[in-house]
Short mmCIF file of all heavy atoms in Angstrom, two decimals:
data_model
loop_
_atom_site.label_atom_id
_atom_site.label_comp_id
_atom_site.label_asym_id
_atom_site.label_seq_id
_atom_site.Cartn_x
_atom_site.Cartn_y
_atom_site.Cartn_z
N GLY A 88 60.73 -7.81 -46.06
CA GLY A 88 62.11 -7.84 -46.51
C GLY A 88 62.99 -8.52 -45.50
O GLY A 88 63.68 -7.88 -44.73
N VAL A 119 68.02 -7.69 -53.46
CA VAL A 119 69.45 -7.46 -53.26
C VAL A 119 70.14 -8.82 -53.16
O VAL A 119 69.73 -9.67 -52.37
CB VAL A 119 69.73 -6.64 -51.99
CG1 VAL A 119 71.22 -6.54 -51.74
CG2 VAL A 119 69.12 -5.25 -52.11
N LEU A 156 65.63 11.63 -26.41
CA LEU A 156 65.14 12.38 -25.26
C LEU A 156 66.05 12.50 -24.04
O LEU A 156 66.07 13.55 -23.41
CB LEU A 156 63.79 11.79 -24.81
CG LEU A 156 62.65 11.94 -25.81
CD1 LEU A 156 61.38 11.31 -25.25
CD2 LEU A 156 62.40 13.40 -26.14
N SER A 332 66.60 -4.19 7.54
CA SER A 332 66.65 -5.10 8.70
C SER A 332 67.84 -6.05 8.59
O SER A 332 67.74 -7.25 8.84
CB SER A 332 65.34 -5.89 8.84
OG SER A 332 64.23 -5.02 8.98
N GLY A 391 70.96 -7.52 -5.69
CA GLY A 391 70.29 -7.64 -4.41
C GLY A 391 69.75 -9.03 -4.14
O GLY A 391 69.46 -9.39 -3.00
#
Side-chain angles (χ1 to χ4, degrees):
V119 175
L156 295 179
S332 301

